[in-house]
Amino acid sequence: MAAIALLLSVYVAAVLQTTLAPAMEWRGVAPSFFVVVALVWSVRRTSGGAILGAAAIGLAADLTSSGVVGVNIALFVIAGAALEAANARLDIRHGPAQLAMVAGAALFVTAGQCLVAAATGEVALDAPTLIVRIALSAAYTTLIGWPALAAMARFAKPARAALV
Amino acid sequence: MTMFDRRRATGSLGPRFSRRQGTIAALLILAAALALAPHGVTDAARHAWLRLLQPAQTLAQSAIDATTGFARDWQSAAASREELALAQARAKEWREESERLKRALLFSETSSAAANQPIDSGAVELPPLESSDLVIAHVLGRTAQSALGGQPILGAGSAARLKSGAHVLQSGDSNVDSAGDSKVATIDAGRDAHLETDRLAIVGRAVWGKLASVGPMTSIVRRATDPGYRDLIEIVRVEHGRPVVSSRGVLVGSGASQCRIEMVDATAAVSVGDEVYTAADNDADVRLYYGKISRAELAAGQSHWRLWLQPALADRAPQKVAVLRIGLNPERVVAAQAASADGERR
């Protein structure tokens, strides 16, 4: 059941990323629905489930984009692990905790994608422009992801003491 | 319990790695492998995935297009509604303005028709009771005054029918006398020219002062800036390109280069730059110019403005002035005498 839900959410994220995100583009920056799905997934899953889900989302992101396959898997796995750890230590029913998780994940994934793209020559931007784009993209994703995470957090249990 | 059993129970892969860490490591290795995999493999997977997404993408794109179109139409409709409301409001304003103008025109035509109605042809129209004319007088300098023993004398005397109080106007060809800065301004016209006290002395259409005293052949002029000078004035401001009398007040000379204006209500609309004229009782009266308001203050709680006027002739000492002489119309005097003679004969 969880696997079907994961596949469905990954599929929806991919569709939104390829249709809705371009429509929502502002100054060449669009939100990442994959990050939003990864956040929502990490709230509901623990003990490695979040990491596996994040890997699946990363794979979908890789296949949807034109970049090197594997980059997003690595980024989302690391982000998923961090989110899982944060979920275990923080009480995500509180706004600041939610904001820290959303902004942190969005910034990490966006920065990783941009840096890899710049390193592989996919994009040719100077450092200040790259930094501004990363910040704007992360902020935009945070703007979209925070309400989703807040909605999911209403049903979440209090923070667990520690990881297994 | 053997080491193998303990590892299986705790889910750890070894003393240094937990199961979670192992998962992460495995996934990262998988990611690296995919990155290094031949493009053919990844491209095939990518194409398959994109084909899988295509139906949903088409559906989603249609929904987005429909939503965007609806939003655009709604915005356009909202803008049209706004424009329509604005146009209707303007049309209403114009209708009201049109009605107001129609009423004003009707009133104006009625008033005008009533005012222009010819007086009964049988009526006898009397000539105006008063008549006015100008007498040119010279301003005497200090030397001339001392030579005349301190008694100012005007060049135009009774032969010119000047009276005390007649207005003094500068003639068009007068020159400003740079040396005529005497303490007392004196003109060479007095009772001999039928001048009377309190008549205005005028340069061009600007007021220079008033006749303070009238002698046999000379008159002393109290300038607007001199102490003791007072006159009723009107403050005129320009609103919508038309001059409007905003209020009345009293101009007071203080001996300084600027005059003060008193008794102007705090509720009056006054500002620096407004022009000041002599008060006129009706439209037929000629307004003579004093100058501009140079300073305006209204302290909290005060009932009147504190105003200062910069006279138009503050720095000028005219050589010639014109005195406006006002008196009985000779035609009326003759008519009255004739009527009196007729009455006596009857």
Side-chain angles (χ1 to χ4, degrees), chain B residues 67-256:
Chain B
T67 310
T68 311
F70 176 76
R72 202 181 299 119
D73 291 347
W74 189 83
Q75 274 181 343
S76 175
S80 300
R81 277 197 299 274
E82 208 169 284
E83 281 175 12
L84 180 66
L86 195 64
Q88 283 174 339
R90 277 185 187 158
K92 190 183 172 190
E93 278 176 21
W94 287 338
R95 271 199 301 275
E96 287 173 357
E97 181 68 9
S98 169
E99 289 298 319
R100 192 185 66 73
L101 288 172
K102 274 182 191 169
R103 282 197 299 274
L105 183 64
L106 188 65
F107 176 76
S108 172
E109 281 173 352
T110 309
S111 309
S112 176
N116 293 330
Q117 239 173 9
I119 299 168
D120 189 6
S121 56
V124 177
E125 186 179 355
L126 291 171
L129 180 61
E130 66 173 25
S131 67
S132 57
D133 56 355
L134 289 172
V135 173
I136 305 297
H138 298 87
V139 178
L140 299 176
R142 192 173 294 174
T143 311
Q145 286 180 42
S146 67
L148 292 168
Q151 174 56 60
I153 299 169
L154 258 183
S158 56
R161 294 169 53 223
L162 293 180
K163 279 188 178 177
S164 172
H167 289 156
V168 181
L169 300 164
Q170 185 183 19
S171 63
D173 59 349
S174 70
N175 297 317
V176 173
D177 179 12
S178 58
D181 188 23
S182 60
K183 290 285 181 188
V184 177
T186 309
I187 58 171
D188 58 357
R191 281 195 294 274
D192 59 338
H194 304 285
L195 299 185
E196 294 172 1
T197 54
D198 284 340
R199 295 296 183 194
L200 293 172
I202 301 164
V203 176
R205 292 195 68 171
V207 179
W208 185 46
K210 274 184 184 179
L211 300 190
S213 65
V214 179
M217 286 180 286
T218 59
S219 300
I220 295 174
V221 179
R222 181 180 284 136
R223 288 163 294 201
T225 51
D226 290 342
Y229 186 91
R230 295 178 77 83
D231 195 15
L232 188 64
I233 52 91
E234 285 178 344
I235 298 171
V236 176
R237 59 189 291 114
V238 177
E239 287 182 4
H240 307 296
R242 297 177 60 187
V244 176
V245 176
S246 61
S247 61
R248 283 189 164 195
V250 177
L251 184 107
V252 179
S254 59

Side-chain angles (χ1 to χ4, degrees), chain A:
Chain A
M1 188 66 185
I4 293 169
L6 175 64
L7 287 174
L8 195 63
S9 54
V10 166
Y11 187 81
V12 169
V15 170
L16 291 176
Q17 194 64 43
T18 50
T19 54
L20 187 59
M24 293 172 70
E25 204 172 86
W26 178 75
R27 291 180 180 243
V29 170
S32 171
F33 286 99
F34 289 116
V35 173
V36 176
V37 171
L39 280 162
V40 171
W41 189 254
S42 70
V43 174
R44 307 298 295 168
R45 293 289 146 191
T46 57
S47 304
I51 298 169
L52 288 171
I57 294 164
L59 178 62
D62 272 333
L63 294 176
T64 307
S65 71
S66 58
V68 178
V69 176
V71 171
N72 280 304
I73 294 175
L75 290 171
F76 276 83
V77 164
I78 295 167
L83 286 170
E84 195 182 63
N87 192 20
R89 287 178 168 79
L90 301 173
D91 188 352
I92 62 159
R93 290 174 300 176
H94 294 147
Q98 295 167 6
L99 183 63
M101 289 175 71
V102 177
L107 191 62
F108 174 75
V109 173
T110 309
Q113 288 171 338
C114 288
L115 290 174
V116 169
T120 55
E122 281 182 52
V123 291
L125 295 172
D126 56 347
T129 311
L130 200 63
I131 290 167
V132 170
R133 282 183 70 86
I134 289 169
L136 284 176
S137 186
Y140 204 167
T141 303
T142 304
L143 199 69
I144 303 291
W146 194 3
L149 184 64
M152 291 303 296
R154 288 175 64 88
F155 308 105
K157 293 176 182 174
R160 289 170 294 282
L163 291 171
V164 175

